[in-house]
Amino acid sequence: MVKLFSPLSVGALTLKNRIIIAPMCMYSANNGVLQPWHWQHYGNLAQSAAGMLIIEASAVAPEGRISYADVGLWNDECQQALQQLVGDIRRDSDMPLLVQLGHAGRKASCDKPWDGGQQLPASDERSWQTIAPSALPFTEGQRSPQAMTKIQIDKCISQFVAAAKRAHVAGINGVELHAAHGYLLHQFLSPLSNRRDDEFGGSLSNRMRLPLAIFDAVRAALPRDFVVGVRISATDWVDGGWNLPQSIEFARELDHRGCDYIHVSSGGLSEKQQIAIGAGYQVPFAAAITAQVQMPVIAVGLITDPLQAEKILQQQQADAIALARGILYDPRWPWHAAAALGAEVQAAPQYLRCQPHGLKTLLHR
């Protein structure tokens, strides 16, 4: 059996295959509201035959956006746009849809990547004051974030819950809580960015307290068939920072609390990171976590070849493979992977006529 194209249970969902479309910010929203770009972008990806699509990071509060052009899910207008997008996709695709919920913390208030991506100066009318566990900027010379008060921490938990409820009403199948890439929840986890001396800082259990509280609150507020997963950075790639042993402990805690999956990435917290980049460079982190938990583990990061993806799964290094930049480059990657591995995928009937000669069973309705 080709494992990449075998079913996978993720919470209450049964995925048709183990190819996951990772969340990728488009920086194309208006006041948090999805725009026409998102219709063509996600409509296209929903026809890719992947097992699941995770919609880009959607901020739980305006100040939680990475940039002023980020998607949000904090008010009725944001929710209504998402609900319309889901409805339009559902007319022609039954692909499970999740949305990533995030808060950028000290990495917020930035320009779009293609306009430099730098944090905007306070004089820019599009900027805002950022918040974080501690008043430590991401980059030397940036305006320092405000250290969050306990009132702000409680509010943050409520914002994640409210956004998850909005996603559920919009028809989304679940949420991925973003605790990776140096954003707010990762900032609480890492000792490099969290220098608090209260119950949310110091020891590992204290640094995990807010991310776990958010997970527990979201899990308790939504029906059990609503998927709740978490994305982590397994390491900061900096000595003295967040690392794999701490990630394993965090993963165990999530597993014990009923997390439906964990999505294992790395880095993004510090400019001092020294990343050993290469094909599948993050897979060993996913493999180490897979050995310690019952929930499905998603591997991601320079997994570009179908044979490479299949080998990762056959060797039980992960339960699923996520694609990000790779599927932007090739939105029909699952088709091409199925062709390479001798598998079959579902396609919309409008596309069946494009089936290549010699691959008469590749695409089916």
Side-chain angles (χ1 to χ4, degrees), residues 19-321:
I19 302 169
I20 311 297
I21 300 176
M24 296 164 283
C25 290
M26 293 288 104
Y27 305 100
S28 300
N30 183 14
N31 293 323
V33 178
L34 294 159
Q35 296 297 302
W37 168 262
H38 298 96
W39 261 254
Q40 56 183 326
H41 172 62
Y42 289 115
N44 182 31
L45 292 178
Q47 295 299 331
S48 69
M52 185 168 75
L53 166 57
I54 307 173
I55 293 171
E56 66 193 271
S58 299
V60 300
E63 65 274 15
R65 293 173 293 171
I66 303 166
S67 80
Y68 55 86
D70 280 23
V71 175
L73 197 48
W74 64 76
N75 63 20
D76 290 346
E77 191 177 6
C78 294
Q79 176 186 314
Q80 289 162 6
L82 179 61
Q83 187 166 349
Q84 184 179 346
L85 174 65
V86 171
D88 287 347
I89 289 174
R90 286 277 180 256
R91 292 186 307 173
D92 300 299
S93 172
D94 61 358
M95 184 181 293
L97 302 173
L98 271 63
V99 63
Q100 187 182 68
L101 299 182
H103 192 302
R106 69 180 187 176
K107 291 182 74 176
S109 190
C110 294
D111 210 341
K112 298 176 182 179
W114 52 85
D115 290 329
Q118 298 300 309
Q119 195 165 74
L120 297 169
S123 58
D124 193 308
E125 62 180 8
R126 300 167 300 176
S127 73
W128 59 88
Q129 174 64 55
T130 61
I131 58 175
S134 304
L136 301 170
F138 174 67
T139 300
E140 186 176 348
Q142 285 184 345
R143 180 168 48 151
S144 294
Q146 289 180 348
M148 293 173 69
T149 66
K150 292 182 181 179
I151 291 174
Q152 288 174 310
I153 288 173
D154 288 341
K155 183 179 180 181
C156 183
I157 297 171
S158 298
Q159 288 169 333
F160 271 90
V161 171
K165 288 180 176 179
R166 289 186 180 280
H168 181 249
V169 171
I172 290 287
N173 297 111
V175 294
E176 177 176 279
L177 305 179
H178 199 357
H181 301 159
Y183 299 120
L184 184 65
L185 302 191
H186 186 184
Q187 291 162 30
F188 270 89
L189 291 171
S190 176
L192 298 179
S193 48
N194 184 346
R195 305 288 178 82
R196 300 177 71 93
D197 58 6
D198 61 5
E199 67 268 34
F200 294 97
S203 67
L204 175 59
S205 60
N206 280 359
R207 286 183 278 115
M208 294 192 302
R209 191 179 303 276
L210 177 59
L212 290 175
I214 288 173
F215 173 82
D216 288 343
V218 170
R219 178 73 284 166
L222 278 302
R224 194 60 189 85
D225 62 356
F226 186 79
V227 169
V228 182
V230 177
R231 193 174 204 188
I232 67 166
S233 281
T235 177
D236 290 339
W237 298 99
V238 179
D239 289 342
W242 182 255
N243 57 25
L244 181 58
Q246 294 175 87
S247 290
I248 289 172
E249 288 303 311
F250 185 47
R252 285 173 172 166
E253 280 291 333
L254 290 168
D255 201 34
H256 175 72
R257 293 161 187 255
C259 189
D260 289 316
Y261 73 84
I262 190 164
H263 190 171
V264 183
S265 187
S266 71
L269 184 110
S270 171
E271 288 193 321
K272 297 179 181 178
Q273 64 188 18
Q274 296 292 319
I275 303 179
I277 292 181
Y281 70 104
Q282 296 174 156
V283 173
F285 303 133
I289 291 172
T290 298
Q292 299 290 330
V293 299
Q294 297 298 313
M295 61 181 162
V297 176
I298 302 172
V300 68
L302 284 180
I303 302 170
T304 58
D305 182 80
L307 293 175
Q308 174 197 14
E310 179 68 11
K311 184 177 179 181
I312 291 166
L313 298 178
Q314 291 289 353
Q315 293 181 343
Q316 299 183 337
Q317 295 178 288
D319 301 288
I321 302 297

Side-chain angles (χ1 to χ4, degrees), residues 1-21:
M1 177 184 292
V2 178
K3 195 163 186 180
L4 186 63
F5 289 94
S6 65
L8 175 67
S9 294
V10 176
L13 296 174
T14 299
L15 311 190
K16 294 176 181 177
N17 61 59
R18 296 166 185 249
I19 302 169
I20 311 297
I21 300 176

